[in-house]
Structures are given as C-alpha cells and as structure tokens.
Amino acid sequence: QQQVKQSPQSLIVQKGGISIINCAYENTAFDYFPWYQQFPGKGPALLIAIRPDVSEKKEGRFTISFNKSAKQFSLHIMDSQPGDSATYFCAAATLETNAGKSTFGDGTTLTVKP
Amino acid sequence: KAGVTQTPRYLIKTRGQQVTLSCSPISGHRSVSWYQQTPGQGLQFLFEYFSETQRNKGNFPGRFSGRQFSNSRSEMNVSTLELGDSALYLCASTLTGHNEQFFGPGTRLTVL
C-alpha cells in the first residue's frame, strides 16, 4: 500500500522558472511532511518541512503548500537554477509514535536547463 | 560536527551470503533509522533503533535485522542474500526531541 503518492516522476524546467512537485497522502495520522533533496552519490538532505497546522511555509526559494482537507502538499521552487537539478522526495511521518519512521514518495527527478 | 557515516560504501556479495552494514550517527543522536533505496521501490523504511531498542519496524522479511550499541552506532544484517536485495542502504540519525533526519551517504550493496 503506497501511502504517499508523488508526481511527476520527472520534470524539466528552464532556468528562472518555477518547479512544482505534488504529493498526496492517505494516512490522516501523518503530522509531519518533509521534503528531501538528493544528489547522485549522496544521501537525501532535508530541504523544508511543514506541520499540518499551517497551510504554507517558505524558506528562501522553496515553499511548501499544504492542503489538509485534500490530503495534498506540494513543493514550489522559485527561480529554479541548474544547481537545483536533483531528485526530490516528499515524505510523511507521525511524530508522536513514529518519529524515526518516514514514508517516502517515489521521487521526482528535476532537471533545470540553463 | 561530523555527519552520519556509513561503512563500507560499496559491497559486492553473492546470493546466499550474509552481509553486515555499519552506521555511526551524528554525535549526540540516539535514534538511528535504516532505509532501503531501489529504483523500483523508492525509499522503504526498514527499522529504527533508539537507546539500543528497536522502536519501529517496516515490512521486510526476517532476513533483515539490526541492532544498536550503547554508543548509538548501529548495524544492520541481511542473511541469505537474494538478487533483489541489491540496493542503496541508507541510515539516518535524529536528535531526541527534534524531527529532522540526517542521512548518511549510504552503502551500495550489489548481490550477484
């Protein structure tokens, strides 16, 4: 049972454009939604995370939008740069009981063309 | 501050063998989680250890096991290796009371 569905699988964006990656979850017990960035040969690194008590969180060029009723959340990368080319994973966790256990989406390979 | 370290970085084994992977968390982090990453299945949670106790377990067969030592270092063991066990095995550590997981670079296991 895939509890976190991520789309698109791959994304090509021009430099300066906006990259948008979407995720949907099923388990309403999830209360922590992080996004990770992974470069080849490296482990995932936390980009930004959100709790369900807010609808949006922004950190620099990265913004998470969260829709609790639709059980969806998305990552927006503004002014995308070639250095942003990487694989992005959304994830979900239930902090109280499963803090160290995250359920990941399948990943989105982002390519930013110069 | 040193990050999460995993050894070895690369490993080649044959079917039927067993393997042990090691993870050293960031100093002060007591929670260590293990994940299997494959192109087809993405990142799948294996198990989590906290203070030498397994706190959470994913849906993997009993061939996959782990343990944590008093210094928070963790090992995972896979017995009777199968071709499908070829993957990148990632560990992540978390500071108590915080949410962020810090991942190591992974161990690339190839089963021939």
Side-chain angles (χ1 to χ4, degrees), chain A residues 38 43-44 46 89 95 98 100 102, chain B residues 33 35 37 56 100-101 103-104:
Chain A
Q38 185 177 28
L46 179 69
F89 294 92
L95 289 182
N98 295 297
S102 292
Chain B
S33 300
Y35 294 86
Q37 185 175 22
N56 286 294
E100 183 176 358
Q101 289 190 301
F103 283 84

Side-chain angles (χ1 to χ4, degrees), chain A residues 23 36 46 58 60:
Chain A
C23 282
Y36 290 87
L46 179 69
K58 182 176 180 179

Side-chain angles (χ1 to χ4, degrees), chain A residues 2-98:
Chain A
Q2 185 178 13
Q3 296 193 52
V4 179
K5 294 184 180 180
Q6 183 172 346
S7 64
Q9 188 174 13
S10 62
L11 183 61
I12 299 174
V13 173
Q14 290 294 127
K15 178 182 175 182
I18 302 173
S19 303
I20 302 174
I21 305 171
N22 301 298
C23 282
Y25 63 98
E26 299 169 4
N27 188 348
T28 55
F30 288 145
D31 59 2
Y32 177 66
F33 302 91
W35 283 90
Y36 290 87
Q37 179 189 59
Q38 185 177 28
F39 292 104
K42 304 284 188 180
L46 179 69
L47 257 183
I48 185 172
I50 198 168
R51 300 292 303 273
D53 52 343
V54 297
S55 61
E56 186 175 282
K57 183 175 181 180
K58 182 176 180 179
E59 288 184 3
R61 297 185 294 110
F62 302 92
T63 300
I64 298 180
S65 297
F66 185 81
N67 186 328
K68 188 174 181 178
S69 60
K71 292 187 288 185
Q72 295 176 348
F73 57 110
S74 60
L75 175 69
H76 295 232
I77 305 174
M78 312 300 288
D79 187 26
S80 298
Q81 299 297 313
D84 296 331
S85 297
T87 301
Y88 293 81
F89 294 92
C90 63
T94 306
L95 289 182
E96 182 177 345
T97 56
N98 295 297

Side-chain angles (χ1 to χ4, degrees), chain B residues 62-108:
Chain B
R63 299 186 297 107
F64 292 82
S65 63
R67 59 177 175 169
Q68 187 179 34
F69 302 94
S70 59
N71 62 357
S72 295
R73 188 178 71 84
S74 177
E75 289 182 346
M76 67 163 281
N77 183 277
V78 188
S79 62
T80 319
L81 284 166
E82 300 177 359
L83 295 178
D85 296 333
S86 294
L88 180 67
Y89 290 89
L90 293 159
C91 83
S93 71
T94 306
L95 183 64
T96 304
H98 293 255
N99 305 328
E100 183 176 358
Q101 289 190 301
F102 292 85
F103 283 84
T107 294
R108 172 74 62 185

